[in-house]
Amino acid sequence: MTRADLHTLTGAYAVNALSGRELTDFERHLAVCDACRQEVRELRETAAKLAVATSLTPPPTMKDDVLRRIATVRQEPPRVAAREARESTRAPAAHRAAGDELRAGGLCGGGRRMRRGRGVAVPAGVRRA
């Protein structure tokens, strides 16, 4: 990272958005650069003023409203990209095929009767943990 690049990181540093090597390099630079120290100080002051200016005090009834509604509002499932969704629909079939191969080879359950659950062959009568 060049010295010129380091000067562009003042805003990210001021709002704690640097990590790893960038953070280490910038803090080393900050120790010797008066201009960047001044800019970071000003940006932090501005960020604090903006946070106060945009904050709201919640209405006193908000906690009771949330606690009352929480039992009736269902959590949305995670959104999955189309490719991941296609792959997840194929996974159980792959697990079943592997279980079939193990059973056919006598490697799973010692020839005992097997039942399926969650795509994995389990000896009949064995409980899952």
Side-chain angles (χ1 to χ4, degrees), residues 8 11-12 30 34 43 48-49 62-63 74 90-91 119 125 127:
T8 65
L30 202 56
D34 291 333
L43 287 169
K49 288 177 184 175
M62 182 177 226
K63 181 178 179 181
R74 187 175 167 149
R90 284 184 260 165
R127 293 183 54 177

Side-chain angles (χ1 to χ4, degrees), residues 8 10 27 46 49 53 57 62 68 75 97 107 121-122:
T8 65
T10 54
E27 286 180 336
T46 301
K49 288 177 184 175
T57 303
M62 182 177 226
R68 186 178 62 257
Q75 182 177 346
L107 299 174
V122 179

Side-chain angles (χ1 to χ4, degrees), residues 16 24 37 42 46 59 64 70 74 76 83 92 95 97 101 109 112 114:
N16 300 312
T24 305
R37 275 197 306 276
E42 292 171 356
T46 301
D64 291 333
I70 201 163
R74 187 175 167 149
E76 291 185 19
R83 179 178 176 196
H95 288 264
E101 289 175 21
R112 293 181 285 167
M114 306 297 282

Side-chain angles (χ1 to χ4, degrees), residues 5-126:
D5 292 337
L6 289 169
H7 287 281
T8 65
L9 297 177
T10 54
Y13 182 81
V15 295
N16 300 312
L18 295 181
S19 62
R21 173 117 185 174
E22 279 184 329
L23 177 61
T24 305
D25 290 349
F26 186 77
E27 286 180 336
R28 191 175 299 127
H29 169 75
L30 202 56
V32 296
C33 182
D34 291 333
C36 283
R37 275 197 306 276
Q38 176 67 27
E39 188 170 354
V40 166
R41 188 171 32 256
E42 292 171 356
L43 287 169
R44 283 186 171 163
E45 289 172 7
T46 301
K49 288 177 184 175
L50 287 171
V52 170
T54 60
S55 67
L56 299 172
T57 303
T61 60
M62 182 177 226
K63 181 178 179 181
D64 291 333
D65 292 344
V66 169
L67 292 174
R68 186 178 62 257
R69 291 190 59 213
I70 201 163
T72 62
V73 176
R74 187 175 167 149
Q75 182 177 346
E76 291 185 19
R79 293 198 171 101
V80 180
R83 179 178 176 196
E84 292 172 352
R86 284 192 306 273
E87 289 173 1
S88 69
T89 59
R90 284 184 260 165
H95 288 264
R96 284 192 300 273
D100 291 341
E101 289 175 21
L102 289 172
R103 281 191 302 283
L107 299 174
C108 186
R112 293 181 285 167
R113 190 172 143 234
M114 306 297 282
R115 66 180 169 84
R116 292 181 194 249
R118 294 186 189 160
V120 178
V122 179
V126 173

